[in-house]
Amino acid sequence: MYRTHTCGELRTDHVGQTVVISGWVQHIRDFGGTTFIDLRDRYGITQLVFDMETNKDLCESARKLGREYVITATGLVRERSNKNKNIATGEIEMEVLGLKILNPSQIPPFTIETETDGGEELRMKYRYLDLRRNPLQQNVMLRHRMALEIRKFLSDVDFLEIETPYLIRSTPEGARDFIVPSRMNENQFYALPQSPQTYKQLLMVSGFDRYFQIVRCFRDEDLRADRQPEFTQIDCEMSFVEREDVLVMFEKLTCHLLKTIRNVDLPPFMRMPYSDAISLYGSDKPDIRFGMQINDISEQAKNKGFVVFDNADRVLALVVEGAAEYTRKQIDDLTDWVKRPQIGGSGLIWVKYAADGTTKSSVDKFFSANDLKDWKTKCHASDGDLMLIVAGAEKNIFSIAGELRLELGSRQGLRNPDHFAPLWVVDFPLLEWDDEAKRFFAMHHPFTSPVVDDIEMLLTDPGKVRANAYDLVINGVEIGGGSIRIHDRVLQMQMFKALGFSDEEATAQFGFLLGAFEFGAPPHGGIAFGFDRFVAMMAGQNNIREFIAFPKNNSGRDVMADAPSTVSSQQLDELNIKLISR
Ligand code: ASP
C-alpha cells in the first residue's frame, strides 16, 4: 500500500493511528539522536521523525535519503511537542516504523521549497521540478478552480462549450499566424487560430445561441511578460443581444469569479468612453485604483515664452498628492525614468506647492507666481502637492503621461494588488490608420460592428467611426474584449472595403462567413477573456508564465523540451519543403 492518507491530511484527531503516506523528501534535518524529514505531496507537508534510540537501522537509512527521493513511510501519528503554526499539519508528526524508497533522485538543480534559489531559465528547464513547489502548485490549482467556476456559471445560464478547429485557414488580418504545412495537400498550409472568432460567429448562424469555450489561441507576436505565443481564452458568443446584454452577462461572470475565488464583492462596473480613457488616464486600459488624472494645461502654459511648452502640441500635468517633499534625487530619478526609450519623454517639469503655501518650480525663470497658481487651480492641486508636467506631440504625449501616472501610482503605493477596480472601456474607434501600410486596420477585428449612428461615415470618414466594441479592464490590465458583430453581408463588404480589400480579396478570404450571412445570420456579439491574465490577476500577480503549467520563455522557446527544433530531411521531403540556408 502506498498511502492511507496524504501529506496534508493528518491532524490531532489521527493521534495514535498507524498510517501510511508517500511523497517527496523536501528537507532532512539530522540532530544526531533524531532525524526529521519533511515529506511533501501536493496536499501538504508532514514531519517524519526517526529516533536513533528506538530504531537505529531505520534512522540510519533515513540519513541516507536525499532531497526529492520518493518514499513511502508507515508510522504512528503523535502530537508534536514543538508545534508549527505555519502549516496545516503542524500539530502532529509521524514516528516512522517502516520506510521504503520508491525512487531515488539526483540532487535537484535548485531548492524545491516555497522560496527557491533557482533562476528563471533553470527553473524553466526543469519545469517539472519547479511545478513541485508550493507557489506553482497553488497557481495551477487556482487555474483549475477558475476554469471549473467559469464552466459552472456559464452552463447554468445555457451556454454550451463547443470545440472549434485548431487547423484553420490563414487570414492575414490581425497578428501573425503560426502556419502548419499540410502533407496531404501539397504546397498548402493551415494556420493555428489566433482566436475562434469566425467559427463562433458561424455557431451563431447555426443557432447555438450561447457558446463558450476555454480554448488555446496562437499568435506569432513578439513576447512580453504578459504574452505567450500560445495562450488561453475564455471565448464567448451570444445571439439576439445588444451591447448591454453582453456587458451585463459578463459583468456577472466576473463578479461571480471574484466572489467565489477571492471573496471580493465588486462594485457596479463603470463605463468609460475610449476618448476619456486616453485623455484622463493616457491609456485604453486605465488603472482606476487611484485618481491622479491627467490635466491638460496647454492653454495656461503655452505661449508664455517657454520653448519646450510652446513647441509642444500639449502640456499635461499630474498632481501627486502630498508629495511636495519629494527630494531632488527622487525627481531626477523620475526624470531619467521618463526619458527612457521605452517611455520616450523628453523631460519632466516640476512644481512644488509646499504645505506652508510657498511655491517652487523648475521653470521659475519662465513663469510668474500667478501662472503657477493658475495651474494649481486648473488641476485642483493643494498645498503640499507636487505637480509633474510633460509636454510633447499629440501622438504620444498622453501615453507618456499615462505611463508616468502608473509609475507614480506604484511609487506612492497606490496600486494594491488585493484591491480590484474593474471598468468597461467602450466606444473605441472602429479603425486605426497605419502610416507605414498607408491604410486602415480594424482596431478590434474586421467583424466588429460600427456604432449604428456612425455607419454612414464608413466610406466617407472612416477614421471617425466608433466601434460597438468594449474591453473589460481590471487594475490597468485588459482582461477581456469583444464587440457586437456585423451580421449583414453588405455592411461586412463595406467594412472590408474600408480596410482596403477588393471584393475579390474579401470573398476569397472570408467567403465562407459572407456566405453564411446570406442564410439567416442572427444579430450576435460576444467577448473573449485572456484566461492566463485573469488567473494571474486573481492572485495579484502579472507574470502569466507562473500560471501556465508549461510556458514558453521570452523567445518563444520551450526550454525544457527544446522546441522549436529542426526536423529530419525526410519529414521536410514529405511536406515538399526545401530549406534555404542563408
Ligand atoms: N476574438 C476576439 C479576440 O480574440 C474577441 C472577441 O471579439 O470576442 O480578441
Side-chain angles (χ1 to χ4, degrees), residues 320-338:
V320 194
E321 262 176 53
E325 302 290 307
Y326 260 38
T327 60
R328 185 59 197 246
K329 178 160 182 319
Q330 279 174 299
I331 293 181
D332 286 350
D333 204 47
L334 275 169
T335 311
D336 290 342
W337 186 89
V338 168

Side-chain angles (χ1 to χ4, degrees), residues 195 197 200 219 233 235 237 444-445 481-483 485 526-528:
S195 84
Q197 186 61 36
K200 67 173 170 175
R219 293 184 193 173
Q233 281 189 346
D235 190 44
E237 196 75 5
H444 189 50
H445 53 57
S483 60
R485 326 296 184 189
I527 191 168

Side-chain angles (χ1 to χ4, degrees), residues 512-525:
F512 61 103
L513 185 68
L514 292 162
F517 286 172
E518 292 188 8
F519 290 94
H524 59 284

Side-chain angles (χ1 to χ4, degrees), residues 278-280 293-302 312-319 374-375 377-379 387-392 394 397-398 401:
I278 300 294
S279 62
L280 297 175
Q293 292 181 348
I294 298 171
N295 302 280
D296 187 340
I297 57 164
S298 308
E299 211 176 288
Q300 290 76 11
K302 274 166 68 86
D313 294 334
R314 300 263 189 177
V315 182
L316 304 178
L318 295 169
V319 176
D374 270 1
W375 302 355
T377 314
K378 166 83 186 173
C379 303
M387 183 180 291
L388 293 170
I389 304 171
V390 289
E394 183 79 40
I397 195 62
F398 282 99

Side-chain angles (χ1 to χ4, degrees), residues 113-296:
E113 294 182 24
T114 299
E115 299 293 332
T116 178
D117 52 0
E120 184 157 28
E121 208 59 8
L122 194 63
R123 290 195 284 124
M124 288 265 241
K125 180 161 180 217
Y126 295 95
R127 185 69 174 178
Y128 49 90
L129 295 181
D130 203 20
L131 283 170
R132 281 185 194 163
R133 292 173 50 235
N134 184 267
L136 278 140
Q137 297 235 325
Q138 295 301 325
N139 292 354
V140 169
M141 289 190 252
L142 169 67
R143 189 180 173 108
H144 166 79
R145 278 209 324 275
M146 273 183 73
L148 196 63
E149 279 307 325
I150 290 160
R151 291 198 161 97
K152 274 205 306 223
F153 178 92
L154 290 174
S155 309
D156 279 351
V157 286
D158 288 335
F159 281 80
L160 299 173
E161 184 161 22
I162 306 174
E163 286 157 283
T164 51
Y166 279 153
L167 295 175
I168 69 168
R169 189 193 162 88
S170 175
T171 52
E173 284 295 298
R176 210 175 278 118
D177 281 334
F178 279 104
I179 59 170
V180 182
S182 162
R183 182 182 55 81
M184 287 192 289
N185 302 272
E186 206 173 289
N187 298 337
Q188 293 191 321
F189 297 84
Y190 301 101
L192 301 178
Q194 294 181 30
S195 84
Q197 186 61 36
T198 47
Y199 287 94
K200 67 173 170 175
Q201 291 192 239
L202 292 169
L203 287 171
M204 296 303 108
V205 180
S206 304
F208 284 106
D209 192 52
R210 287 180 167 197
Y211 142 95
F212 84 102
Q213 187 181 186
I214 299 183
V215 61
R216 198 68 54 80
C217 301
F218 306 85
R219 293 184 193 173
D220 191 1
E221 292 177 305
D222 296 335
L223 306 175
R224 296 193 235 120
D226 65 344
R227 285 233 182 112
Q228 283 276 304
E230 50 177 311
F231 61 98
T232 304
Q233 281 189 346
I234 313 163
D235 190 44
C236 310
E237 196 75 5
M238 304 167 80
S239 290
F240 306 114
V241 287
E242 291 174 340
R243 182 182 90 177
E244 194 57 27
D245 304 304
V246 180
L247 299 195
V248 167
M249 175 64 73
F250 292 99
E251 187 162 323
K252 276 195 197 138
L253 170 65
T254 309
C255 290
H256 173 80
L257 289 173
L258 263 301
K259 183 70 195 173
T260 48
I261 308 280
R262 289 289 310 254
N263 197 24
V264 166
D265 292 293
L266 292 177
F269 298 10
M270 182 208 261
R271 312 267 170 95
M272 190 186 293
Y274 169 85
S275 52
D276 285 2
I278 300 294
S279 62
L280 297 175
Y281 298 93
S283 165
D284 59 1
K285 37 181 194 295
D287 184 348
I288 57 165
R289 278 175 296 182
F290 65 108
M292 208 193 286
Q293 292 181 348
I294 298 171
N295 302 280
D296 187 340

